Amino acid sequence: MACVTTNRYPEASASGLIAYKIKMMGFSPGKQTMPTLLTAANLTKRYDDATVVDGVSLTLHRGETLGLVGESGSGKSTVARLILRLIEPTSGTVLLHNPDGTTLDILALPHRELCRLRRRIAIVFQDPYAALNPRLSVEQILREPFAIHHERPAEGIPARLLSLLDEVGLPSTALNRYPHEFSGGQRQRVNIARALALRPELLVLDEPVSALDVSVAAQVINLLRDLQQRHGLTSLFISHSMPLVRYLCQRIVVMNRGRIVETGTWDEVCTTPREPYTQQLVAATPELPTA
Ligand code: ADP
Ligand code: MG
């Protein structure tokens, strides 16, 4: 169904174009009910007098892509950092559910055990330029996670690196090249390859295409969709773009000023947006061609 009509914001328009290109690539997100992978409950982060994340609770299922949407400053990146324990919460819990039914209490993990978590949850940040050490070749960049975690894949590191490059659509010749030799989209592919190196159970994508131009962004979204479908990748996709989230995510969580104001499928959120803030977001989503 078409949710929207107006297109008041240039940003929404660019996102709409990306979504359109993706649509032309033949995607349509499906619904899945899978076991729970992660639950966050009542997450709160306060800095001095400002509560930037305020009682956030969310659930991620294995194999799903959950969209975390909201305007700049609404607390999305802070939620991501809390889930990865890159920052400490003021209060709340985050549980990672193991396949055997037990749980790992992320916020209770002693610091020395955080490396266990880093293997299971990986993150890709918005800026593909800042995230890569310019002095390291792609091979050195992709070898790092194996060295840090003393991990040796069954097939051997060289073969694993080649399959990682293949997964993200980069040629094997990329191994000997340096970040400055790549475009923004290619650098983001290197970042995604590095994040996937240890086969994490959850990939957090914090506005991974916001710094890329429209057609490059569409290709990276295409890649993420492909990883989702071929590898059953579970991800938390953070974005301020409703059209992108619509194409990539099975469910959506909308944040505003540190709080979750809406949760559901695209249709649920879009058809009956309960909050004026979501109504505004939805209204800013361009209508897409349906051909
Ligand atoms: P988003 O990712 O949705 O743009 P953020 O999570 O980055 O939002 O930030 C949410 C709010 O928290 C913003 O108002 C930001 O200024 C504030 N904030 C983030 N980090 C800090 C910090 N280290 N100290 C104080 N305020 C912060
Ligand atoms: Mg952010």
Side-chain angles (χ1 to χ4, degrees):
M1 60 145 271
C3 291
V4 184
T5 49
T6 44
N7 181 9
R8 285 176 282 150
Y9 307 119
E11 166 194 295
S13 165
S15 306
L17 185 51
I18 296 170
Y20 172 71
K21 286 181 179 235
I22 291 161
K23 190 168 189 119
M24 294 300 104
M25 293 169 186
F27 297 149
S28 68
K31 271 196 199 177
Q32 287 168 318
T33 314
M34 297 289 278
T36 302
L37 174 61
L38 180 136
T39 43
N42 277 314
L43 266 186
T44 296
K45 180 67 181 176
R46 215 169 286 132
Y47 289 111
D48 299 323
D49 286 342
T51 303
V52 302
V53 169
D54 191 0
V56 162
S57 300
L58 54 84
T59 303
L60 256 154
H61 303 104
R62 287 187 187 268
E64 97 175 324
T65 299
L66 179 68
L68 181 55
V69 208
E71 67 190 16
S72 183
S74 56
K76 305 181 298 296
S77 294
T78 305
V79 167
R81 288 180 160 85
L82 289 170
I83 286 175
L84 278 127
R85 190 108 178 258
L86 296 173
I87 54 174
E88 298 292 330
T90 306
S91 60
T93 52
V94 182
L95 299 179
L96 194 57
H97 298 258
N98 302 316
D100 67 3
T102 60
T103 54
L104 183 73
D105 186 341
I106 291 178
L107 304 183
L109 268 183
H111 270 269
R112 65 176 184 282
E113 286 179 36
L114 278 179
C115 66
R116 271 167 65 198
L117 183 66
R118 305 272 172 264
R119 296 162 67 108
R120 299 183 67 181
I121 309 182
I123 185 164
V124 172
F125 294 103
Q126 174 175 348
D127 185 351
Y129 297 90
L132 298 174
N133 184 338
R135 290 190 199 87
L136 300 184
S137 68
V138 168
E139 174 165 1
Q140 290 169 314
I141 288 167
L142 295 183
R143 276 178 175 271
E144 255 183 355
F146 298 101
I148 291 169
H149 295 278
H150 308 290
E151 172 125 344
R152 209 170 167 72
E155 67 268 47
I157 289 180
R160 178 75 184 126
L161 298 195
L162 291 178
S163 82
L164 276 171
L165 288 177
D166 185 55
E167 275 173 39
V168 301
L170 286 174
S172 55
T173 50
L175 281 179
N176 302 318
R177 293 164 62 191
Y178 287 80
H180 74 266
E181 298 178 63
F182 293 99
S183 66
Q186 289 170 322
R187 286 181 205 213
Q188 206 54 312
R189 287 171 194 266
V190 174
N191 280 312
I192 292 168
R194 181 176 56 182
L196 294 176
L198 301 177
R199 298 189 169 94
E201 288 159 84
L202 172 60
L203 183 61
V204 176
L205 298 148
D206 191 355
E207 308 223 24
V209 301
S210 301
L212 306 177
D213 74 42
V214 169
S215 60
V216 173
Q219 289 164 13
V220 173
I221 293 295
N222 182 10
L223 164 67
L224 293 173
R225 181 72 184 162
D226 193 42
L227 290 170
Q228 221 176 55
Q229 291 182 332
R230 280 194 301 156
H231 302 281
L233 182 71
T234 309
S235 54
L236 178 64
F237 179 75
I238 298 176
S239 179
H240 55 257
S241 158
M242 291 294 264
L244 282 192
V245 163
R246 178 184 189 180
Y247 279 91
L248 207 54
C249 304
Q250 286 80 46
R251 289 190 307 120
I252 305 171
V253 166
V254 181
M255 277 188 81
N256 186 24
R257 297 181 187 189
R259 291 174 187 228
I260 289 182
V261 294
E262 213 96 46
T263 306
T265 61
W266 169 269
D267 281 345
E268 285 162 359
V269 168
C270 190
T271 322
T272 51
R274 288 175 304 168
E275 297 277 331
Y277 174 72
T278 323
Q279 288 164 9
Q280 202 185 324
L281 264 183
V282 168
T285 307
E287 189 167 356
L288 300 167
T290 51

